[in-house]
Amino acid sequence: DVKVTQSSRYLVKRTGEKVFLECVQDMDHENMFWYRQDPGLGLRLIYFSYDVKMKEKGDIPEGYSVSREKKERFSLILESASTNQTSMYLCASTLASAGYGYTFGSGTRLTVV
Amino acid sequence: EDQVTQSPEALRLQEGESSSLNCSYTVSGLRGLFWYRQDPGKGPEFLFTLYSAGEEKEKERLKATLTKKESFLHITAPKPEDSATYLCAVQAVGDSRLTFGEGTQLTVNP
């Protein structure tokens, strides 16, 4: 069964900490995405990547960065965590070909205190 | 800018009471419309892709339909295990990104 695996289900971090969220897919997908999901706001795209070492800003990239050194791994980095970054973070991947849906990971619930 | 609006925000049904969820969209050129199911605390799970107006897809008690402006997710004789949030998303031609609606939270009471 194909999978997108996020390294942590729950994380609690302190304000100002540097936070790494890891995502690994085993489907040889070219495209990978990071979303955050908040009540009343839905899923919002943070960053995405079409290929190794490539990255594109999504709708809300401020306060985040990403790294894609290998095709299967896409990391989201919170440079200096703040309380307004408390959220559910979802990683997804898909083939580059037309019309394929995303496969999502189980999500990481991040709380910044 | 692509937009997706889902209605209602929440729907409460009795077991066996059929209904429909609506997804209205605007997109520059539709590459695909997607339906997902999301259980609390989990990532969305893919249900259907629809590519062109008039297309229909079915899976168990769920049937998705598509017109040029909206999609419906019909739920026939729902069961409590169908309780979840249902998300709709569109993908534009030439783009791999999805634009999501805010979802419809469905509760099916026994």
Side-chain angles (χ1 to χ4, degrees), chain A residues 6 33-47 58-60 87-92 102-105 107, chain B residues 1-2 4 6 36-39 42-45 85-90 97-104:
Chain A
Q6 295 185 230
F33 306 83
W34 275 106
Y35 284 85
R36 64 178 282 176
Q37 186 175 31
D38 301 286
L41 296 174
L43 278 86
R44 292 181 291 166
L45 182 62
I46 305 171
Y47 266 97
D59 299 319
I60 52 163
S87 185
M88 169 71 106
Y89 288 87
L90 291 162
C91 175
Y102 293 1
T103 300
F104 281 90
Chain B
E1 184 179 331
D2 302 336
V4 178
Q6 292 187 246
Y36 287 85
R37 170 193 170 124
Q38 186 175 23
D39 294 302
K42 296 188 177 181
E45 176 187 343
T85 296
Y86 291 85
L87 298 169
C88 173
V90 295
R97 296 171 294 175
L98 296 184
T99 299
F100 285 86
E102 291 188 27
T104 293

Side-chain angles (χ1 to χ4, degrees), chain A residues 31-80:
Chain A
N31 300 336
M32 297 188 74
F33 306 83
W34 275 106
Y35 284 85
R36 64 178 282 176
Q37 186 175 31
D38 301 286
L41 296 174
L43 278 86
R44 292 181 291 166
L45 182 62
I46 305 171
Y47 266 97
F48 59 104
S49 169
Y50 291 129
D51 202 349
V52 176
K53 297 194 184 292
M54 295 185 68
K55 59 185 179 183
E56 298 283 344
K57 292 180 180 180
D59 299 319
I60 52 163
E62 297 79 18
Y64 304 94
S65 63
V66 290
S67 172
R68 194 167 180 199
E69 297 295 319
K70 294 184 178 181
K71 188 175 185 180
E72 66 271 18
R73 186 180 297 269
F74 192 35
S75 302
L76 180 69
I77 303 156
L78 286 67
E79 297 291 342
S80 177

